[in-house]
């Protein structure tokens, strides 16, 4: 079976090859790492250790457009986005000779946030979400691909470009004052207050357009999710 590593013999490296496959579905390579002991990377289905872990995710609206055109979006069954993700990423994993793991596989839940902090340009934000240096808060991790090969790029494994935590120089931190019920204080998140607000008339603005605190972040507003995309996630959160 052909693997991503096979493409290294051509003009493109494995990173570009995989990125092109994912882009067909509005997804991106969101970082790569060579897992070490203690990183929480699961063994491959064969029982062998995973020598390369590649994060798969999205930013902005491209993924939502592809998902909305897929059968899962309208079939009425539970967890349509998770099922779509498992289908499209699973097909790519099979073609590439990789195993796939998803953040919704659990419990125990795979440590995607820890992987992201190693492999991508992300930092903890006052809202608890990881903030990206370019995408702001408008991104997510949908899967990880595990390879038995220690994939490298010439001259080296691609690493996230250096970046500073945007929140450290953010004047006023508007995300902390934008929530109508003050669910965020920079250290904790009052989940109950947030969810209760979404059941009220006043909460309709958050439900239809997305979290107001998230929208208040000045980093990456051009990547903000559209109304249908945001409403989908808010409805799922309100449901619990």
């Amino acid at each position: 079976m052909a693997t991503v590593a096979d493409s290294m013999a051509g003009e493109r490296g494995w990173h570009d090859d995989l990125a092109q496959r994912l882009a067909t579905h509005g997804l991106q390579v969101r970082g790569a790492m060579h897992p070490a002991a203690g990183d929480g990377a699961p063994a491959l289905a064969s029982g062998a250790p995973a020598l390369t872990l590649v994060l798969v995710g999205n930013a902005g609206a491209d993924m939502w457009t592809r998902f909305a055109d897929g059968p899962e979006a309208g079939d009425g069954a539970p967890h349509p986005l998770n099922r779509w993700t498992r289908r499209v990423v699973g097909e790519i994993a099979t073609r590439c000779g990789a195993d796939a793991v998803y953040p919704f596989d659990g419990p125990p839940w795979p440590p995607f946030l820890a992987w992201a902090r190693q492999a991508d340009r992300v930092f903890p934000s006052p809202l608890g979400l990881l903030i990206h240096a370019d995408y702001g808060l408008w991104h997510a991790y949908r899967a990880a691909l595990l390879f038995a090969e220690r994939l490298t790029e010439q001259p080296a494994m691609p690493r996230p470009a250096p970046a500073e935590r945007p929140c450290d120089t953010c004047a006023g931190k508007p995300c902390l004052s934008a929530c109508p019920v003050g669910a965020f204080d920079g250290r904790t998140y009052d989940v109950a207050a947030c969810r209760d607000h979404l059941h009220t008339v006043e909460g309709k603005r958050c439900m239809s357009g997305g979290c107001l605190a998230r929208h208040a972040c000045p980093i990456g507003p051009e990547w903000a999710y559209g109304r249908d995309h945001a409403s989908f996630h808010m409805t799922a959160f309100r449901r619990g």
Side-chain angles (χ1 to χ4, degrees):
M1 177 183 299
T3 69
V4 171
D6 292 335
S7 69
M8 294 174 63
E11 294 182 358
R12 295 181 303 171
W14 69 265
H15 183 279
D16 290 347
D17 183 89
L18 180 56
Q20 185 175 72
R21 296 173 190 259
L22 292 170
T24 303
H25 305 287
L27 296 168
Q28 304 170 344
V29 173
R30 291 295 310 277
M33 56 187 280
H34 294 138
D39 286 337
L44 301 172
S46 66
L51 298 185
T52 304
L53 184 152
V54 180
L55 289 172
V56 173
N58 66 279
D62 284 353
M63 181 211 68
W64 179 258
T65 301
R66 309 306 202 284
F67 161 70
D69 288 339
E72 293 85 357
D75 64 12
H79 309 300
L81 183 55
N82 289 353
R83 292 185 290 111
W84 176 87
T85 301
R86 193 182 294 276
R87 175 174 62 82
V88 300
V89 176
E91 290 172 356
I92 291 173
T94 298
R95 296 191 192 105
C96 295
D99 287 359
V101 61
Y102 305 93
F104 44 84
D105 283 341
W109 312 107
F112 269 79
L113 299 185
W115 295 340
R117 292 189 67 180
Q118 287 193 63
D120 201 359
R121 295 192 300 155
V122 292
F123 309 86
S125 76
L127 303 187
L129 300 168
L130 291 180
I131 186 168
H132 187 274
D134 297 321
Y135 306 138
L137 300 173
W138 302 105
H139 66 101
Y141 300 94
R142 300 294 171 191
L145 297 178
L146 307 176
F147 294 88
E149 303 151 285
R150 187 176 175 85
L151 299 178
T152 59
E153 210 45 59
Q154 296 300 326
M157 166 74 87
R159 301 300 300 169
E164 296 182 353
R165 181 175 181 259
C167 309
D168 292 339
T169 55
C170 181
K173 295 182 172 49
C175 64
L176 293 180
S177 58
C179 176
V181 293
F184 305 99
D185 63 10
R187 298 177 302 278
T188 60
Y189 170 33
D190 190 339
V191 177
C194 178
R195 185 172 281 132
D196 288 347
H197 177 68
L198 298 180
H199 287 277
T200 68
V201 172
E202 292 78 10
K204 287 185 177 179
R205 185 180 174 193
C206 298
M207 283 297 302
S208 63
C211 171
L212 299 185
R214 198 173 183 180
H215 275 290
C217 176
I219 305 300
E222 67 273 22
W223 295 94
Y225 298 162
R227 293 180 69 84
D228 288 348
H229 190 177
S231 179
F232 173 89
H233 288 301
M234 296 302 285
T235 299
F237 170 73
R238 185 178 66 175
R239 187 183 303 123

